[in-house]
Structure formats: C-alpha cells, structure tokens
Amino acid sequence: MNVAETAIAPKEVIIAGLNTGDHSFEYSMTELANLVAANNMVVKEEIRQSLERPHPGTYFGKGKVAELSEIVASENLTTIVTNDELTSSQIRNIETITKATVLDRTALILDIFANRAQTREAKLQVQIAQLQYQLPRLHTSVNQRLDQQTGAGGGSFTNRGAGESQLEMDRRTIKNHIKHLQEELADITKASETQRVQREKNGLPTVALVGYTNAGKSTTMNGLVRKYGSSDEKQVFEKNMLFATLDTSVRQITLPDQKQFLLSDTVGFVSKLPHNLVKAFQSTLAEAANADLLIQVVDYADDNSDAMMATTNETLASIGVADIPMIVAFNKADMTDAKYPVREGKQLVYSARDDTSLEELITMIREEVFQNYQTVTLLIPFDKGNILNFLNEKAHILSTDYVAEGTKITVELTDESAQRFSEYRVD
Ligand SMILES: Nc1nc2c(ncn2[C@@H]2O[C@H](COP(=O)(O)OP(=O)(O)OP(=O)(O)O)[C@@H](O)[C@H]2O)c(=O)[nH]1
Ligand SMILES: [Mg+2]
C-alpha cells in the first residue's frame, strides 16, 4: 500500500440488504462487504430484512428503516450502503428518515471504477455510466453534489431559459455532457476496433482471459508472457484488490514450435454489475466477445468460487458471449490442499505462480486453438529463399532435406497457409 492509500482512514458504514428469497443473497452480502472495503470503507453494522418484494417507497419496511435510524444515531454513522440499486425516491425517503447518506450498490461499484480508471478510455466509460445513473435520480438537493462531480453546469445553470425548470435544465445539461463523452469515446474505440480487426486479419488465434475480479487473470497473463512472450512484451498490473484491471491488454505469445496466438486480459466481473457500466465497457469487452477461446480463471481458494463462476457465466451471457469454447482454470491451488496442476478434460486446477501449471495451461490452449493444423511436405525452389525464410520464422518445420531442385521440408501449417503454399506441395 502506498501513502495515499493509507492516509485516509476508512469510513465506517452500515450495509443493508433485502432478502427476497434469492439463494445467492448471503453471498451477495459478502460481496457487498468486499466492495465496501475496496472503496476505502469498513462495515460497522450489517442489517438484513426478509421481504417478498421491496417496499416501493422506502425499499425496506417501515420498522427496518426505523431500526436503521436508531443505529445511525447511536453509532454516529453517516452512510448506509444498500445491496441493490434503489430508485431515487427510495434513496431520498431513507435519507430523510435516517439523516444518513444512502449509497446503493450501483453507485458504490461506479465509485470504485471511477477511482481505478487510469486511461482516457476507462475514464470516459465510467463517467458515462455515472452520468446515466444520475440522470433519472436528479432532484434539486443533489445539484450541488452533481456539479462538483461532473464539472457540468457551473455557469450554465444560472442563465436558464424562461419557463424551463431547474430540473429540466439540469437534465438537458447532463444529456449533452453524456453525448459529448460518447463522441469522444467513439473516436478512441474506433481506433482500438480497427486494431482488433487488423489483428484478426493477420490470422492469429485469439485467447481471452475472463472471470470474476481478483481471480488471477492478470497474474496468469504475466506468467504466460514471462515464459512465452517476446522480451519486449510488457507485464500488466496485478494486485490483490477488486477491479485492478479496467482496460484490455493484448500480448503475443510464441510457443517453442513457432505457433503464435494473441492473449488478452480484461476487466473482471462481480454480480449485479450495473447495466450501464457493462454497456459503457462494451468496447473493452469486445476482445473477449470475439475471441476464439476463453479461459475462465476462477479463484479456487475462495469458498464462493461456485457463485463466482455463475456470476461470470451470467455476465458473459449478458454481453452476448455464447458458443465460444472455454477452458475453466481453477487458480490459486497453492492456497488449497488440492494437488496441482491437475487436468480433467477442459478443466485445470493450477497456480498462476507455478511454471509446470503454466506449461499445462499452454498445452490445453494449444489443443484448442491449433486444431486446424496439417503436416505437409513442400519443395521450395532455391530461388524462393524468401518463402523458406518466412516458414523458418513462422512455422514449425519438422524436417529439412536438401535435394537437387531445392529444399524439401515437412512442416506444420494452418489450413490457410497450406492453401497459400499449395503449388510447392509434393506429398
Ligand atoms: N497464492 C496465489 N496468489 C495468486 C495466484 N494468482 C494470483 N494471485 C494473487 O491474487 C491477486 C489478484 O490477482 P490478479 O491477477 O490481479 O487478479 P485479476 O483476476 O486480474 O483481478 P482484476 O483485474 O481485479 O479483475 C494478486 O494479489 C495475485 O498475486 C496464485 O496462483 N496463487
Ligand atoms: Mg487484472
């Protein structure tokens, strides 16, 4: 931890959840506590209520809100964090009764993302999602807060047209702001989309690491890059915190037999990921959505790993990812009693910190993405030295024989390359 992170003492909060009979309720409360910690806050009190459905006005029932008020007063707390997204009137009503600020799950996740965002692209994506969240929640008392957060408004609020209410004016300002940010984002994503399409044209298979946040995706990427990447491929940021990665990084991996693929690392998931946020991050997630193979990294040492996998699969489905082959990689086995690496079909129990594990993972990737290889024999005439050089560099040559007409090689080629060099085939 650096000085900046330790300088501000964590704020004590109450977390409050409504159990409507969902079997994953308890897990979602654990997750909420982790999200709270990720935002430099600490859980002082936990409140639960079982109700068939939320109260339309106050979300919790009257008695529960009264209980919240008492706790706020007796413990001297200022913030209530709710386990679900609330309507603006529910937030306002609870705030009025309890005299505390209500932060709902969506706002909390947006806050964490805002704190983590480093690149212009990530910052724009988060800002758009934040403004979209605020739009239906505008009411006079929050204008001040909004001005400070978005930098929108300022002078523009003062010269509003006759007959236009303050609220309409604020909405219009925010909508304009969103539009501008979306235009700026579109310019950036157009460039990364072009890069992605170009890479696809180059014909290298693409493999994407996906999974729950903090599962070890970036560590796995770094391990593979360290072992199989060229020396100029940089390591990505890995850290024991939620949402360490918010951008997509792509690295080239070259196996000892010259076969190459592209590996991408991207943002992790959490349950009830806000819809606006997922939408705003669409371009970041495009790399996964278009991959030839997904590696779902799971924290095998976490008691909730099943729920985390379910969350990942739901999130993938919600961004339209279907029918992409998947390896399920149970990571951090070094923190469990399990033996590793152990492979069973398309599943691997491994540790991203263990070399033998990474080798096993590569074997599995290889089987999935290099299926369409064939072994062919080519006779390359002596005056086609450039082709021989190309194959020496890019393909796995099994044997070389110098004959009178040229160089005879037996080589592994993709169907595409076999087609391309078919005039030299002698088998
Ligand atoms: N003991 C152990 N720790 C691991 C292993 N793999 C990753 N970690 C640790 O787990 C933490 C999270 O790792 P990351 O690679 O940043 O996780 P991520 O999936 O990229 O997380 P986000 O980017 O936040 O979604 C880091 O502290 C890693 O050092 C492992 O195999 N064993
Ligand atoms: Mg990461």
Side-chain angles (χ1 to χ4, degrees), residues 157-191:
F157 284 121
T158 55
N159 52 18
R160 85 188 81 115
E164 191 175 29
S165 76
Q166 165 95 38
L167 195 60
E168 282 163 2
M169 181 72 198
D170 294 354
R171 285 211 179 103
R172 201 157 52 85
T173 308
I174 293 202
K175 276 189 187 153
N176 277 337
H177 197 50
I178 293 177
K179 200 166 142 261
H180 284 131
L181 296 176
Q182 278 171 332
E183 283 165 5
E184 196 186 331
L185 180 64
D187 279 345
I188 300 178
T189 56
K190 209 188 293 162

Side-chain angles (χ1 to χ4, degrees), residues 213-214 216-219 239 243-245 331-332 334 351-353:
T213 180
N214 213 42
K217 299 176 293 297
S218 299
T219 310
K239 194 177 171 185
F243 305 114
T245 306
N331 188 25
K332 308 194 190 179
D334 57 309
S351 163
R353 294 182 177 173

